[in-house]
C-alpha cells in the first residue's frame, strides 16, 4: 500500500506519482514460451560516468522486441533534468550538454514513464549489470521503488552463442561490425538500444538453432557458461 506522506530519498512524490507507482506492473518471471512470442525491452542508459555509487542516469533509451522483430512503434527516449550536474569527460562521448539536462524531464516522471513502458517485460542490455545497477539506484532514489525485473546480458549471450567468433574486446561496436550492422549513431541511448536489439535478434536466431528457444533455457545456459568462464568447471 502507498501512503500519501511517504517520501523518497530524493524529492517527495506527489499523490498522483504515488498512485502511478502503485499501478506499475509486478516483475515477471522468465518465460518458457518461444522467443518469438516474448516481449522484451532493450535498454541503454547514458550516465554521468561509470561509478555505480556516485554517478547518475542522464538519459534513457529503449526499444521493444515483440513477435520476433523490433517494433518501431514502441520506442522510449528521455533525457532527465539534472540541473547543476558537473560535466565530466563522458559528455565528450554521449554529447549530452548542460542545456539538455537543464530542460530535461523531472526524474520521477521520466522513470515512472519508463517503467510503465516496460510493464511486465524482461529487460535486455549490453553489459546489463551496469544498466541494471544504475537503473535500480535511480528508481530507489527518485521513486522509492525496488527494481526486480530480470535482465539478460547481450554482451554475454554473444560469446556464449558464437564461441568461435573473435571480436577483440567484445564491445558493442565489435559485435556490430562482426554482424555487419549499419550504425548511424553511437553513444546515444536510443541508437545504442537499437543496435543492441539488432544483435539480440541475430543471437536469438542462433539460439533457436542451438535448441535454446526460450528465456529460461537461455538463462540456464548463461549460468553454466558463466561458471565455466570463471573456471568453476573443467
Amino acid at each position: 500500500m502507498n501512503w500519501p506522506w511517504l517520501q523518497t530519498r530524493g524529492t517527495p512524490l506527489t499523490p498522483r506519482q504515488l498512485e502511478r507507482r502503485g499501478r506499475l506492473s509486478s516483475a515477471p518471471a522468465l518465460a518458457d514460451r518461444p522467443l518469438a512470442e516474448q516481449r522484451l525491452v532493450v535498454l541503454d542508459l547514458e550516465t554521468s560516468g561509470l561509478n555505480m555509487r556516485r554517478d547518475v542516469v542522464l538519459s534513457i533509451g529503449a526499444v521493444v522486441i515483440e513477435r520476433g522483430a523490433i517494433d518501431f512503434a514502441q520506442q522510449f527516449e528521455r533525457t532527465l533534468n539534472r540541473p547543476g550536474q558537473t560535466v565530466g569527460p563522458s559528455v565528450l562521448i554521449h554529447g549530452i550538454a548542460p542545456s539538455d539536462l537543464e530542460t530535461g524531464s523531472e526524474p520521477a516522471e521520466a522513470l515512472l514513464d519508463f517503467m510503465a513502458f516496460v510493464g511486465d517485460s524482461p529487460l535486455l542490455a549490453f553489459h546489463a549489470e551496469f544498466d541494471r545497477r544504475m537503473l535500480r539506484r535511480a528508481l530507489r532514489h527518485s521513486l522509492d521503488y525496488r527494481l526486480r525485473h530480470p535482465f539478460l546480458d547481450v554482451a554475454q549471450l554473444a560469446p556464449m552463442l558464437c564461441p568461435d567468433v573473435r571480436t577483440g574486446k567484445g564491445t558493442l561496436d565489435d559485435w556490430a561490425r562482426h554482424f555487419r550492422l549499419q550504425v548511424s549513431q553511437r553513444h546515444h541511448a536510443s541508437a545504442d538500444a537499437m543496435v543492441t536489439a539488432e544483435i539480440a535478434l541475430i543471437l536469438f536466431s542462433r539460439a533457436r538453432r542451438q535448441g535454446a528457444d526460450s528465456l529460461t533455457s537461455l538463462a540456464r545456459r548463461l549460468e553454466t557458461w558463466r561458471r565455466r568462464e570463471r573456471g568453476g568447471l573443467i
Side-chain angles (χ1 to χ4, degrees):
M1 183 173 183
N2 292 324
W3 302 102
W5 57 84
L6 183 65
Q7 296 184 358
T8 68
R9 299 173 188 233
T11 304
L13 296 178
T14 66
R16 176 179 169 276
Q17 289 171 334
L18 287 167
E19 190 271 334
R20 289 188 65 196
R21 189 187 65 180
R23 288 191 282 109
L24 293 177
S25 299
S26 300
L30 291 179
D32 276 321
R33 60 180 173 271
L35 292 169
E37 299 176 10
Q38 174 72 59
R39 182 183 188 266
L40 294 157
V41 175
V42 186
L43 163 71
D44 187 81
L45 303 177
E46 297 298 340
T47 63
S48 60
L50 300 177
N51 188 311
M52 290 183 280
R53 294 176 178 268
R54 183 182 64 241
D55 288 305
V56 296
V57 174
L58 302 181
S59 70
I60 305 170
V63 299
V64 168
I65 293 175
E66 194 163 24
R67 299 184 182 90
I70 297 170
D71 185 348
F72 292 96
Q74 298 187 71
Q75 298 188 51
F76 185 94
E77 183 174 4
R78 202 66 53 85
T79 297
L80 276 61
N81 177 246
R82 301 292 192 191
Q85 174 65 43
T86 302
V87 176
S90 61
V91 74
L92 301 175
I93 299 174
H94 55 57
I96 301 173
S99 57
D100 298 322
L101 301 176
E102 290 284 347
T103 58
S105 299
E106 195 269 316
E109 286 293 316
L111 290 163
L112 282 166
D113 289 345
F114 177 65
M115 293 309 298
F117 175 82
V118 171
D120 63 356
S121 297
L123 291 149
L124 286 176
F126 199 90
H127 294 314
E129 183 60 16
F130 177 80
D131 290 286
R132 186 185 70 83
R133 290 179 64 177
M134 292 298 292
L135 178 61
R136 182 179 64 183
R137 191 160 68 88
L139 289 166
R140 186 176 66 245
H141 181 268
S142 293
L143 299 179
D144 197 28
Y145 175 86
R146 185 175 178 183
L147 179 68
R148 290 188 172 93
H149 287 60
F151 274 72
L152 285 177
D153 191 349
V154 176
Q156 294 182 342
L157 286 173
M160 181 189 78
L161 294 168
C162 308
D164 297 329
V165 173
R166 297 292 176 262
T167 58
K169 295 182 178 179
T171 65
L172 185 61
D173 287 321
D174 290 333
W175 284 103
R177 279 192 296 268
H178 172 73
F179 291 125
R180 299 181 181 179
L181 299 176
Q182 296 296 320
V183 182
S184 60
Q185 188 178 10
R186 276 285 282 113
H187 302 297
H188 181 280
S190 293
D192 286 357
M194 186 66 71
V195 174
T196 302
E198 291 174 348
I199 292 172
L201 287 174
I202 295 171
L203 296 174
F204 289 167
S205 177
R206 296 198 175 204
R208 281 189 287 270
R209 294 198 298 270
Q210 296 177 26
D213 191 22
S214 70
L215 294 181
T216 51
S217 59
L218 278 177
R220 286 194 297 268
R221 287 192 58 181
L222 265 177
E223 183 57 33
T224 300
W225 181 84
R226 291 186 190 115
R227 290 200 305 269
R228 186 177 296 119
E229 289 296 298
R230 292 194 297 264
L233 294 178
I234 298 175

